Amino acid sequence: MQKETTRERSILGWFIPAFLLVLCIKIYLAIVLDLYSDEIFYWWASTRLALAYSDLPFMTALLAGLGSGFEPAGSLQVRSWFLLLGSSIPFLVYWLAKPVSGHRQALESSLLTLCLPLGGFLGLLAVPDVPLIFFGLLAIGSFERALRTDAWRYWLATGLFVALGLSTHYRFFLYPLAAVLFLLLFKAEHRQWRNTRFWCSVALASLGLIPILWFNLSNQLSSASFYLVERHPWEFQPAGLLHLFKQAALVTPPLYLVFLYTLWCLLKQSQAGERQAALLLAFAITNLSVYWLLAPWTDANSTSIHWPLSGYFPLLVAVPAALRSLYQSIQSARSKQYARNIVLAIPAIGFAGTMIAFIGVGSQAFQLQLQTILGTGVLSNKMAGWKEFAAHTEPLLGNYFQTQSRLLLTDNYYTAAQAEFADITDTVFTLDTDKAVRDGRITQIRLWAKDISGLAQFQGQPALFVKEDSSLNIDDKDALMHTVCNLSESVTKVSDLSLFNGDKAFSYYFLDQIQIPDGDSKVEPASPCPFPTHAWIDSPVAGQTLTGQVAVNGWAYNEDIGVAMIELLIDGEAVATIDYGIPRPDVVAVRNVQSDPQAPNLGFDFQFDTTSLENGRYELALHLVNQQGHSTIYGSRDVVIDNQGFSD
């Protein structure tokens, strides 16, 4: 007994500091990282509480709203309930495991939760996976106790937690599906189909379907259609066969192999009639096999990253026993010390994976510092720059709207939500018909009248339009400006915001009067329209070695406005003004240039004397200035100057 107590204390000696370290990191990152697109949408939804939304039932928005009710409202506040639920997962795993495997192994399962990278990470972000897994573990634990004791409290708890899970996400359907499969396939529990308490639990759980049914029946099944049809290609994609390997990388390969071995052990125990093993196997294999099988036909990103996470937590209950079995096998084949090192390395590598996950996401809070090491275009900035965006946008709104409503238009829904979250305006609309459609949120935005239809009430009023240039390609920018210029007779570019050396960039435009076509009436589009500048460098190409006199040539145009000047930049410094205006009828034809006042004279050519620079690697780019004085940096590429032994 004394030896057992010592071992349990040793496990706690590892668990407590590991848990506190993970918790402190999550709290710190929850403070310093801005809300990313999914989180800000759930916050946006929380300001308009409903039973369900176009992409999810109410639970995630409710939790985000409960957190943001604390003052001052910030990213930590929005994430607070998710932090609480996510940080409780190790304790729920212990609660689930204790009656199955005993106190000591339950402690080990709890510790292993922190060694599952996406599991230890859980709770940092305000996303539905947190309540989904929280209610899922409560449902499994209550169901196991209900089967074992037949107590009313556990049957009712099972129904309640399933209802709450169904009010969180469509993916929670796999939990009741797993329970049904278990009751069908495990003969010893067939008696439950005649158990009145079981059916009362089912009736209570069914209440969780009300939000989903209500929204779909009220909106032409748009939510179910997105999740079951529109979101997925439903065509075979060979890349989907890599699902297992991607999961192994995310889980860490040693732990993933242990999970597979644990599944095998549970299968053998289930065939021997062990009810608890069959129960854990049912919930694990259902949540994993659906994504294994559907990966080649479904949304590759979500299927391959976080969707299977629910399947690993039931396995954690049985992993300590599987590790002991592996230990015995390795010890028999090699030595006790070798076996011990191998078994201890598995959770150690897993915990390192958890830390790497924190570093990967947390790096966004240190963009400029890390760019000096990694360069630009490497780090994600989805959770960075929004405070700077708000600080830049608010005074612009103040300058242009001193008496009228601060009417803000955006090119995507998450920028609109960020503007409301920063409390710089609540009169914000989005022209987003791209990302909102891909994310299944366009129906909701239309229901809130936050799309272009909502602008009708502001007919004749001025507006500020902002687009996130760094998230758009040049053709997207063209199409977007065409839409904007059809909303007002005058559209003027008024400001730029460049963050993190251009990795996150915005452009601002002032619309003097909103005009929305009414019936058969026509509106005159803005002329000139501030379209972006298009350009191409024919020579030199990226990575080229330059010697002596080198031709720098290509083409550039700007619809409606024209190009005024092109400068050659070397490492960000202007070294020459490039001759512009060479006839390029081929560009006019291929690019369908229609309104550039200088067409067809859109080409440029310059002889660059590389001997004016020392040998070495340089960054070459163009500085393009249009006829309205707005500039663009284009074509950044590394070149090598090597004039060693060169003579004129």
Side-chain angles (χ1 to χ4, degrees), residues 493 496 531-535 555-559 561-569 574 576-578 580 596-598 604 621-634:
K493 187 172 183 181
D496 288 300
F531 288 109
T533 302
H534 294 246
W555 50 262
Y557 69 90
N558 194 308
E559 297 279 31
I561 298 170
V563 175
M565 181 181 69
I566 302 178
E567 291 182 312
L568 177 65
L569 303 182
T577 299
I578 294 178
Y580 177 71
D596 187 302
Q598 292 156 278
F604 61 83
L622 299 181
H623 176 218
L624 308 166
V625 182
N626 69 12
Q627 295 288 356
Q628 292 183 340
H630 298 295
S631 61
T632 303
I633 305 298
Y634 171 79

Side-chain angles (χ1 to χ4, degrees), residues 519-531:
D520 295 329
S521 64
K522 295 183 179 180
V523 296
E524 290 296 325
S527 182
C529 180
F531 288 109

Side-chain angles (χ1 to χ4, degrees), residues 65-78:
L66 289 174
S68 59
F70 297 110
E71 294 293 340
S75 56
L76 175 62
Q77 286 77 5
V78 174

Side-chain angles (χ1 to χ4, degrees), residues 34 40 384-398 406 408 414-425 464 466 497 499 504 506 508:
D34 293 338
I40 197 64
W386 292 109
K387 295 182 182 68
E388 293 86 345
F389 163 80
H392 184 86
T393 307
E394 184 167 23
L396 279 177
L397 288 168
R406 294 184 167 195
L408 183 68
Y414 50 89
T415 301
Q418 291 283 2
E420 280 200 21
F421 182 68
D423 199 26
I424 58 177
T425 180
L464 188 70
V466 56
L497 174 63
L499 302 171
K504 197 179 190 79
F506 299 87
Y508 295 79

Side-chain angles (χ1 to χ4, degrees), residues 38 73 121 154 175 216 245 275 283 296 406 424 441 558:
D38 280 354
F121 183 84
Y154 291 127
Y175 284 90
N216 279 286
F245 301 99
R275 179 181 59 81
F283 282 98
R406 294 184 167 195
I424 58 177
R441 289 164 180 163
N558 194 308

Side-chain angles (χ1 to χ4, degrees), residues 593-622:
V593 180
Q594 297 182 354
S595 59
D596 187 302
Q598 292 156 278
N601 302 321
L602 308 177
F604 61 83
D605 189 20
F606 177 72
Q607 293 299 311
F608 174 43
D609 183 6
T610 64
T611 62
S612 62
L613 299 173
E614 295 181 0
N615 292 338
R617 183 175 294 275
Y618 294 88
E619 182 184 64
L620 180 147
L622 299 181

Side-chain angles (χ1 to χ4, degrees), residues 179-328:
V180 169
L181 291 175
F182 167 74
L183 294 177
L184 287 172
L185 298 177
F186 195 71
K187 292 182 180 179
E189 294 298 338
H190 284 181
R191 59 190 174 86
Q192 299 300 341
W193 296 108
R194 301 183 298 275
N195 187 342
T196 303
R197 300 182 182 191
F198 165 73
W199 288 108
C200 288
S201 178
V202 170
L204 181 57
S206 299
L207 296 177
L209 296 173
I210 292 175
I212 294 172
L213 293 173
W214 170 79
F215 187 91
N216 279 286
L217 294 176
S218 302
N219 295 280
Q220 295 77 48
L221 301 180
S222 62
S223 181
S225 177
F226 167 72
Y227 271 103
L228 301 178
V229 181
E230 298 163 11
R231 182 169 190 170
H232 309 290
W234 296 120
E235 293 180 358
F236 182 77
Q237 304 168 98
L241 298 175
L242 298 175
H243 171 82
L244 292 176
F245 301 99
K246 291 179 180 179
Q247 280 296 298
L250 287 167
V251 171
T252 69
L255 186 56
Y256 195 72
L257 291 174
V258 170
F259 278 140
L260 294 177
Y261 179 66
T262 304
L263 282 171
W264 173 256
C265 293
L266 289 175
L267 177 61
K268 289 297 184 182
Q269 294 165 15
S270 301
Q271 292 172 339
E274 294 187 26
R275 179 181 59 81
Q276 290 171 322
L279 181 69
L280 295 174
L281 178 65
F283 282 98
I285 201 67
T286 302
N287 276 284
L288 293 173
S289 62
V290 166
Y291 305 119
W292 287 342
L293 295 173
L294 294 182
W297 290 273
T298 54
D299 175 16
N301 290 331
S302 296
T303 303
S304 295
I305 298 176
H306 63 102
W307 281 7
L309 185 57
S310 295
Y312 299 123
F313 286 96
L315 290 179
L316 286 173
V317 175
V319 164
L323 287 174
R324 283 178 170 79
S325 175
L326 283 173
Y327 176 85
Q328 294 298 331

